[in-house]
Amino acid sequence: MKIVIDGKVCEAERGEYLLTVARREGIRIPTLCHNDALPGLASCRLCIVEVVEKGWHKVVTSCVYPVSAEIEVFTASEKILRMRKTLIMLLAARAPENETIGKLMQEYGLEKPDRFKKENSSDCILCGLCASACEKIGAGAISTVHRGVTKKIATPFDDPAADCIGCAACASICPTGAIKVQDKSGTRQIWNKAFELLICPDCGKPVVTREQAEYLRKQMQGNPIEYSGDGTVRCERCKKAAAADRFRTAFL
Amino acid sequence: MTLSSGMQHRSPDRVAVTGRILEGYPKEQRYTLAMLQDIQKEFQFIPRESMELIADHLELPLGKIYSLATFYKALSLQPKGKHVIKICDGTACHIRSSQMLANELYTLLKIRPGETTGDGQFSVELVNCLGACAIAPVVVIDETFYGKVTPAKLQEIIAQYGDAPEQSERSGGVAHD
Ligand code: SF4
Ligand code: FES
Ligand code: FES
């Protein structure tokens, strides 16, 4: 079906998310909590757009709005810009020192509010992407804890996460870089827990944590991680190089 | 009796009682909240070992249970007192000076909302409208409603539940950080 986004006629499948269509057409809608692999959170509200259907206007979150009719969409109408600015200011109230939020404020010409205290500031905007990534992976080591003003993302009892395998997927998916992960001298530190990093025997680069390798081995029969005889794992690069070597010796 | 928060040793009693509660439910995630409610009723709080047992029982990560247990106001991670005093702070009760009742209670028991007396007799909570605005301000102790409560009346009511401890030690505090 055909929809019009910011004056541009776009082809869309029925049921496709509006954000997906816009992105395919190169129309930028700001998002924080959206990840193609984990759609459906819709917690940051930044991706709001104005939809006009049969003369009716409504504001929807484009990341979870399925296209079902021939609509017209405005991603930056006056109303949307006004609302989006408010949303950014609310996010800024929570994470005033955060770089990503800072950039958004700059983009929208917003001044940093001075009435919010730095002491209670955090980088986390509580979107929940990290927890759903962790759950999707199957570890479920972190979750949202408490609610209201005390809500936070944490491990049970703030203990070193028992279920954590140290994959750091949460840290890499976080839109604001709020989760601290430190890789230093063969050890990864995340969620109050230290993990041994397995080193590639060929190039010496850290590859994955031991727990992560074990987990992958258990999850997938066709083990995607190549163990050498001594229990070490190769990094992607050296694995390819080794495969190329084998290929060369076999055929050339 | 010490009402320490945080890490508790696994008590065989709690394990057994929790086990019995869990047996009453099918192994399905949708019963998690019901299990937690039963456990709260049994122990006046949700012990850590109970959460761990639910997680094992339902084959869910502990974080899921912890998330639920910290979300609902009706569930508490801190041991509550034998008698739970709820002071209504809904709009009607608020304008009829519920705050004075909270202050009076502090004078009587030396506990603020969210806290428990050192002897484990009383806990006090501020709650939202209890649906009895006509008799505001309202105080509920365990299951009993008291209407049009004044500080003087509150003192009499509390006396019925045993002597107010002299200089009781405080414990607990708000269950959040
Ligand atoms: S840590 Fe990052 S991903 Fe997790 S809830 Fe906070 S902002 Fe979202
Ligand atoms: S990206 Fe749509 S609500 Fe966050
Ligand atoms: S406000 Fe207290 S009962 Fe309604």
Side-chain angles (χ1 to χ4, degrees), chain A residues 31-34 42-47 61 63:
Chain A
T31 64
L32 281 172
C33 73
H34 177 79
S43 55
C44 77
R45 318 308 285 175
L46 212 60
C47 67
T61 38
C63 67

